Amino acid sequence: MIQRLVRPVLLLLAGVAFSLVLLNRVQAGGSHYFPPVADPLVNAECGSCHLAFSPAMLPARSWQALMGDLRNHFGDDASVDPVTAEKIRRYLVANAADARGQRQGERLLRGLAPERVPLRITELPKWVSEHRELSARSWRDPKVRSRANCTACHADAALGYYED
Amino acid sequence: MLNPLSQYMPAALLGILVVLPAQAAGDPVTAPYAAELRAVDPGFSGFSTAQGQALYRGRFTGGKPDTPSCTTCHGDNPRQPGRSLTGKALAPMASTASPARYADPAKVEKWFGRNCREVLGRECTPREKGDWLSYVRGQ
């Protein structure tokens, strides 16, 4: 009698375990997803020199600051006409990491003091801790060249995925 | 007795004949630069792909140390993709490889502005832009 019950129960337990693993993976995958830029104008102007970074990776105050001085943009001149700049600014601010409903973005801002205005994703405390284990050598790899070259290590960064 | 005007006619006709081929070639990409040059130098006879090549391949010291040349980002071979310093792949510059390029004059001007300052430390002249475009697009 007991013997006849064991098999179905075991099967059930295996099924539950499997679903838990799946669910876990889906949630984990979700935590690596940062919606990519969906606006063609922003993609064209902010995706020509580097990946068009997801607006959900910096707080609104950072985008305001970056858009306030495109002429001196990390040593480059990224300036655009004022009308275009205003459209880009609005898009980035509306989709910023601290905008309503950006759970991933909020997680990336953990540890960031509210008075700080980071101009780089790569200076966020959470970004730094996620990348702490990478050796100095992997940053010097000629295929990487820059920390901002997310795509070198995250092949699907342009699609918004940052696992491995 | 010849009308003084008619004495100049052959020269004028010749002038038109010299200028026409450049325009008849109908290259809308270099036309604005050619027009600028002709306005100050009626003897302007066309762009030089050799000068364009020298600008594309040359190494300069006037700009930023990490971008001494157009080839730094656009690569040694204009038919092959290039790569920005941040690792972004750039479509080839040659028109055979990238037919969609140079269609938007504002985009062309914007990048001449940024890239010439970065590499040369100054604006490119209309002649340099025309030379460069003639060389690169023809590759």
Side-chain angles (χ1 to χ4, degrees):
Chain A
M1 186 61 201
I2 289 174
Q3 292 242 315
R4 263 206 278 157
L5 267 175
V6 167
R7 264 174 78 98
V9 167
L10 273 181
L11 269 175
L12 186 74
L13 282 178
V16 167
F18 183 66
S19 331
L20 279 178
V21 168
L22 256 187
L23 188 68
N24 200 25
R25 268 210 62 99
V26 168
Q27 283 178 336
S31 82
H32 309 296
Y33 180 70
F34 293 83
V37 170
D39 182 320
L41 179 72
V42 180
N43 246 324
E45 296 296 347
C46 305
S48 43
C49 296
H50 46 64
L51 168 76
F53 300 114
S54 168
M57 292 193 144
L58 282 175
R61 59 186 186 276
S62 297
W63 294 122
Q64 301 278 22
L66 279 162
M67 293 308 294
D69 192 6
L70 285 181
R71 190 160 282 285
N72 301 295
H73 181 78
F74 305 95
D76 273 20
D77 177 4
S79 56
V80 293
D81 67 85
V83 177
T84 306
E86 177 54 20
K87 285 188 194 151
I88 296 173
R89 191 192 62 79
R90 250 188 267 146
Y91 177 84
L92 295 172
V93 166
N95 296 283
D98 51 355
R100 216 182 254 268
Q102 292 284 9
R103 286 200 8 259
Q104 304 330 319
E106 259 164 36
R107 218 165 289 168
L108 193 59
L109 297 189
R110 260 186 216 155
L112 178 71
E115 71 279 4
R116 280 200 50 216
V117 184
L119 296 181
R120 288 179 177 275
I121 299 160
T122 54
E123 67 179 87
L124 296 174
K126 178 88 171 131
W127 191 96
V128 172
S129 68
E130 291 281 4
H131 295 82
R132 184 167 293 146
E133 277 166 26
L134 287 165
S135 68
R137 216 188 49 208
S138 54
W139 295 117
R140 279 198 305 270
D141 185 329
K143 283 200 285 296
V144 176
R145 283 209 275 204
S146 159
R147 269 157 222 266
N149 185 5
C150 322
T151 327
C153 306
H154 304 284
D156 289 332
L159 302 174
Y161 295 103
Y162 289 87
E163 41 232 294
D164 67 36
Chain B
M1 189 40 190
L2 273 173
N3 177 326
L5 246 185
S6 58
Q7 285 185 339
Y8 294 107
M9 280 306 271
L13 270 177
L14 197 68
I16 289 170
L17 282 179
V18 170
V19 169
L20 265 182
Q23 283 186 331
D27 179 356
V29 177
T30 50
Y33 304 118
E36 244 181 281
L37 285 170
R38 228 172 272 123
V40 292
D41 172 16
F44 170 73
S45 61
F47 291 113
S48 154
T49 53
Q51 288 297 313
Q53 177 169 27
L55 178 56
Y56 184 83
R57 302 200 168 282
R59 294 181 75 79
F60 303 90
T61 50
K64 293 200 281 177
D66 55 348
T67 52
S69 172
C70 304
T71 60
T72 307
C73 298
H74 294 302
D76 286 332
N77 182 348
R79 281 187 300 269
Q80 295 291 321
R83 197 159 173 279
S84 80
L85 293 186
T86 338
K88 170 101 192 175
L90 303 177
M93 296 316 266
S95 293
T96 44
S98 300
R101 277 206 182 279
Y102 314 109
D104 174 1
K107 180 182 173 189
V108 174
E109 270 297 291
K110 180 174 71 189
W111 286 100
F112 269 132
R114 286 175 180 167
N115 293 162
C116 290
R117 265 179 267 128
E118 221 169 348
V119 173
L120 306 172
R122 59 166 175 83
E123 302 289 330
C124 285
T125 65
R127 186 183 293 274
E128 283 172 327
K129 293 176 191 174
D131 289 346
W132 192 90
L133 287 167
S134 303
Y135 164 69
V136 166
R137 290 163 65 241
Q139 287 309 292

